[in-house]
């Protein structure tokens, strides 16, 4: 589902949607060229987790880390809302834990969790990102924390 602010010029809405879709496809495929196309060179993660590099290197490393555990990870856009220079994306991530997560080896168990991102888009690229993931569900599915 895509919801667009009716007062937003079509060209601006299209550019913001394209940036969000490129970034979503990066998360679904791991294709770093899409992250580079979607993110501004001075991209800032406003909810940077401890240990993650700021800027474009942060999501690249995060994707590689998650894909080491869940090689078939996909990210589908459940909802996308465009308002002004902001885009909100509700994701569903799915796959199978067949790799490693720290010291834990996957046994093929299904992974299915959600995340929500809020982007500020400038000049057709994501300049800032705020995000929240359902990490508790993910960690339970990986068997890292108890049910």
């Amino acid at each position: 589902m895509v919801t667009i602010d009716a007062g937003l010029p079509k060209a601006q809405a299209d550019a913001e949607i394209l940036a969000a879709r490129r970034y979503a496809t990066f998360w679904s495929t791991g294709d770093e060229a899409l992250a580079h196309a979607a993110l501004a060179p001075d991209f800032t993660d406003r909810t940077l987790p401890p240990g993650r590099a700021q800027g474009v290197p942060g999501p690249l490393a995060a994707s590689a880390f998650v894909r080491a555990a869940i090689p078939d990870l996909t990210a589908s856009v459940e909802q996308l809302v465009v308002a002004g220079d902001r885009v909100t994306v509700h994701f569903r991530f799915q796959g199978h834990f067949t790799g490693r997560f720290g010291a834990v080896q996957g046994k093929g168990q299904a992974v299915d969790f959600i995340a929500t991102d809020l982007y500020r888009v400038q000049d057709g690229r994501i300049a800032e990102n705020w995000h929240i993931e359902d990490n508790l569900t993910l960690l339970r599915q990986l068997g890292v924390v108890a049910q």
Side-chain angles (χ1 to χ4, degrees):
M1 168 197 263
V2 177
T3 304
I4 303 169
D5 174 358
L8 201 59
K10 183 176 179 351
Q12 182 180 348
D14 288 348
E16 292 177 11
I17 291 169
L18 180 59
R21 289 201 184 280
R22 282 178 173 159
Y23 198 51
T25 305
F26 155 70
W27 281 107
S28 192
T29 65
D31 182 347
E32 292 186 1
L34 290 166
H36 286 286
L39 301 174
D42 60 347
F43 165 76
T44 302
D45 183 339
R46 296 294 182 190
T47 48
L48 191 67
R52 183 178 299 170
Q54 185 56 268
V56 176
L60 298 181
S63 173
F65 179 76
V66 172
R67 286 189 174 286
I70 312 163
D72 67 343
L73 182 72
T74 61
S76 58
V77 174
E78 303 279 312
Q79 185 170 311
L80 191 146
V81 179
V82 182
D85 66 350
R86 307 298 165 135
V87 178
T88 303
V89 182
H90 179 75
F91 288 102
R92 176 164 302 281
F93 288 89
Q94 296 175 305
H96 297 87
F97 180 30
T98 57
R100 294 191 67 78
F101 185 86
V104 179
Q105 174 63 50
K107 299 179 178 101
Q109 59 267 48
V111 172
D112 186 346
F113 66 99
I114 60 171
T116 301
D117 283 9
L118 172 62
Y119 310 136
R120 184 179 64 80
V121 180
Q122 181 178 346
D123 299 325
R125 296 175 82 186
I126 299 168
E128 295 179 279
N129 179 19
W130 295 259
H131 51 91
I132 186 164
E133 298 84 19
D134 185 359
N135 288 324
L136 181 56
T137 294
L138 172 61
L139 294 174
R140 284 180 174 162
Q141 292 170 349
L142 296 178
V144 176
V145 297
Q147 298 284 344

